[in-house]
Amino acid sequence: MTSHGSNGTPAPTKGARTAARIRAVAFDALREDGWRATTMRGIAERAEVSPGTIYLSLPSKEHLLLELYGETVARIEQRAADDLAGVRIFAARLRIVMRVALDEIAPFHRVATEAIGQAIAPDSPVSPFGDETRAPRERMLRLFATVVEDSDLVADRRLREALPELLWGLLMAGMLAWTSDRSREQRRTRALVEQAVPMLDRAIRVTAVPLLRRQVRDLLALTAAAKELSHDDA
């Protein structure tokens, strides 16, 4: 017989509770010890389970990064949705998402710095551009779509349609810079974001001028070509 929680939903199974505890312990280990020093055996000891049990939930350290990425994106999505409510100005909406993203990844700066090699390798399972990370990537794209669609932004139609993916790419570039930021609490990255958002807002709004349509199309074509760099030749 299936047990239910107070809200009527099925209660988590013992296996699900164990997996959730393992993930929580693993994330604590990453925050405290960093990527290099965290081991699967060490996570098992902290979680008070056998190493074999760990591998049922997390087959490898790379899977741990995937879990961390997914949960971080979920927190970004949830916090941003609350903070965006009632905000119409595009620059303000974009600033909110960028700030929330930096807040949520902040505890894992050491992890990102040590694991950047795995993340940027084109064939890595933890690459933010790969198939394994499609689900969290698509969640971020939907979030950026709401940033644009529910805003007061007036811009070239095709650019506006492409903006969610371009803004996600901007976030990825910002996170790459963030990994090399040695200032306290990465305040230099935050300062760059504060400077870049209003500049980007003005640049995008200028594209509403019909005379700039050709330049916008050239920019979008260049962006499309850049996306093909990681694809194998047919």
Side-chain angles (χ1 to χ4, degrees):
M1 180 176 179
T2 302
S3 61
H4 290 74
S6 58
N7 60 357
T9 59
T13 64
K14 180 180 179 181
R17 292 195 300 271
T18 299
R21 187 174 81 254
I22 289 171
R23 284 195 301 271
V25 168
F27 296 161
D28 286 342
L30 287 175
R31 274 191 294 267
E32 296 169 14
D33 303 331
W35 170 253
R36 295 194 186 101
T38 296
T39 65
M40 302 299 280
R41 181 170 295 277
I43 294 170
E45 292 175 356
R46 292 175 66 142
E48 298 180 342
V49 297
S50 69
T53 301
I54 285 287
Y55 287 106
L56 291 175
S57 301
L58 299 169
S60 67
K61 282 182 70 175
E62 285 72 24
H63 282 82
L64 175 55
L65 277 186
L66 289 173
E67 290 284 341
L68 178 61
Y69 183 29
E71 293 210 7
T72 301
V73 166
R75 290 196 302 271
I76 292 171
E77 189 178 38
Q78 182 175 7
R79 276 192 56 192
D82 293 338
D83 293 349
L84 288 170
V87 179
R88 285 275 299 159
I89 299 173
F90 172 72
R93 292 176 65 80
L94 179 57
R95 186 179 291 110
I96 285 170
V97 172
M98 300 299 276
R99 284 176 176 173
V100 167
L102 288 174
D103 287 346
E104 291 298 333
I105 64 176
F108 300 99
H109 183 259
R110 180 180 173 187
V111 175
T113 300
E114 294 177 349
I116 188 64
Q118 281 92 341
I120 64 176
D123 57 349
S124 169
V126 296
S127 167
F129 306 96
D131 290 338
E132 295 288 338
T133 55
R134 182 185 302 275
R137 180 171 65 252
E138 290 182 347
R139 294 180 73 167
M140 287 302 299
L141 289 173
R142 287 194 296 270
L143 175 58
F144 279 120
T146 65
V147 167
V148 175
E149 293 166 2
D150 297 338
S151 75
D152 66 347
L153 183 65
V154 177
D156 176 85
R157 177 180 59 82
R158 290 192 186 178
L159 177 60
R160 188 182 169 99
E161 292 171 354
L163 266 181
E165 191 165 12
L166 294 175
L167 294 176
W168 177 79
L170 177 66
L171 176 61
M172 292 297 99
M175 290 178 66
L176 182 60
W178 171 82
T179 61
S180 61
D181 188 347
R182 296 295 180 265
S183 60
R184 181 175 299 177
E185 298 180 347
Q186 295 74 55
R187 65 181 185 276
R188 293 188 185 121
T189 301
R190 293 178 181 273
L192 284 174
V193 168
E194 295 301 315
Q195 293 174 347
V197 166
M199 294 172 60
L200 186 62
D201 178 51
R202 291 192 294 270
I204 293 172
R205 290 180 186 275
V206 166
T207 66
V209 177
L211 289 174
L212 296 177
R213 186 168 298 163
R214 175 61 182 275
Q215 286 82 353
V216 173
R217 300 297 181 268
D218 289 344
L219 173 63
L220 294 177
L222 182 63
T223 303
K227 288 172 59 178
E228 297 294 324
L229 292 176
S230 61
H231 295 176
D232 292 332
D233 289 335

